[in-house]
Amino acid sequence: MDRPQPETKPSTPSVDDWENNLPYTHEETNDEEREEALEQLMVEADEKNQKFNLIELLQQLPPPIYTDPEYVTPTELGGNPTPLSFGDEATGRLKPSLIPANFNGVERTEAQLRLLQFFTELARDVGVVELRCLYNGGGDEGFARMEWLRFADTRQLDPRTFFDSVLDTNAREKLAELGQTADPIQFSKDPAYYAFESTIALLFVWCLMLPYYGTSQPTTYGAIRVDLVAFTIRDEMDIGPPPM
């Protein structure tokens, strides 16, 4: 008689599994309930002839409930295998085919590559060897931001400190110029810092996951490490629960 097998839980992938896995994905299980609650709040405000602030209404909704996060493979998201080589270690030049031109058009793709090339050379010149970026997106949105930059001497700076204390005026002006060409839609009054902290991070995520990230389901979140010595982008596995 066969003995019942104990229930096993999937283990956290090891370093050897990196090339077979990409980000965490999760689904919201009470999205219909939240949508109905939002509609009711809007109806009530309308019946009272009250103007409403959408952000304030969203804060009144029950919190989202997520399924347990799971990994998805590169092919499920249409992305590249990880780790991904994105440049030439000897010359410091980025691969021109990193971002498919058919997504943003040739001119904008070239502008994005110029921004990444400028940042890569700038960061390497001041001694940065690695950076970590966080991403979170799904549906029709994709976001990313730089979390820290690490130097060869193991010093680690957050992007704000690095931007304020390491970059000179010329570097900031160039970041603003290239950033506004690479990403015309700006969400900040400081285009230089926005290009540095957000646009560059999103472009590195795109290189790994391809620009389809944030333009379709499922919802994904995670973190990448960009090695500026070996010119590789590697997805991280153990990053904790979904951001709320």
Side-chain angles (χ1 to χ4, degrees):
M1 180 177 179
D2 294 334
R3 294 182 179 179
Q5 296 297 314
E7 183 179 353
T8 59
K9 295 183 178 180
S11 60
T12 300
S14 66
V15 174
D16 294 333
D17 293 323
W18 262 329
E19 62 192 58
N20 298 318
N21 292 287
L22 263 182
Y24 282 100
T25 177
H26 62 278
E27 295 181 358
E28 187 179 315
T29 61
N30 64 334
D31 55 333
E32 292 184 2
E33 174 190 348
R34 284 165 50 81
E35 288 180 8
E36 290 175 359
L38 177 60
E39 290 179 4
Q40 183 61 35
L41 289 173
M42 295 172 68
V43 168
E44 292 175 358
D46 186 60
E47 289 176 346
K48 298 176 183 178
N49 293 320
Q50 295 178 339
K51 293 183 179 180
F52 60 84
N53 183 302
L54 182 58
I55 295 178
E56 292 179 355
L57 293 185
L58 292 174
Q59 292 173 343
Q60 299 179 44
L61 300 181
I65 300 173
Y66 294 111
T67 58
D68 291 336
E70 298 178 357
Y71 281 109
V72 292
T73 63
T75 53
E76 288 178 292
L77 284 181
N80 284 311
T82 174
L84 171 70
S85 172
F86 67 93
D88 188 301
E89 297 176 51
T91 64
R93 303 300 298 176
L94 305 188
K95 294 181 178 179
S97 59
L98 277 176
I99 303 173
N102 61 350
F103 181 77
N104 285 321
V106 175
E107 290 185 4
R108 187 171 171 191
T109 298
E110 290 176 347
Q112 292 168 343
L113 289 173
R114 285 195 297 272
L115 174 60
L116 275 188
Q117 184 69 60
F118 174 76
F119 166 76
T120 301
E121 294 176 0
L122 176 68
R124 283 162 56 93
D125 285 346
V126 297
V128 174
V129 296
E130 184 182 39
L131 56 135
R132 188 176 193 254
C133 304
L134 305 177
Y135 61 85
N136 182 27
D140 62 350
E141 297 177 311
F143 303 97
R145 66 178 178 85
M146 200 178 299
E147 185 184 27
W148 50 252
L149 304 93
R150 184 170 61 83
F151 292 82
D153 60 8
T154 72
R155 284 182 301 134
Q156 190 169 292
L157 297 181
D158 64 84
R160 183 80 257 180
T161 301
F162 181 92
F163 185 86
D164 291 341
S165 63
V166 178
L167 300 185
D168 60 22
T169 301
N170 290 335
R172 295 177 193 176
E173 290 178 351
K174 192 65 176 179
L175 280 170
E177 174 191 338
L178 294 174
Q180 289 175 308
T181 305
D183 185 7
I185 303 176
Q186 296 286 330
F187 296 96
S188 171
K189 295 181 179 179
D190 187 346
Y193 186 71
Y194 183 84
F196 172 70
E197 192 235 13
S198 298
T199 305
I200 288 169
L202 184 58
L203 290 177
F204 275 125
V205 172
W206 278 3
C207 291
L208 182 60
M209 299 170 67
L210 300 184
Y212 310 108
Y213 162 67
T215 61
S216 65
Q217 294 297 339
T219 298
T220 57
Y221 72 97
I224 61 169
R225 291 202 184 203
V226 181
D227 188 327
L228 296 181
V229 178
F231 277 82
T232 57
I233 306 171
R234 189 184 297 273
D235 195 77
E236 291 210 319
M237 298 288 99
D238 186 13
I239 64 163
M244 296 298 185

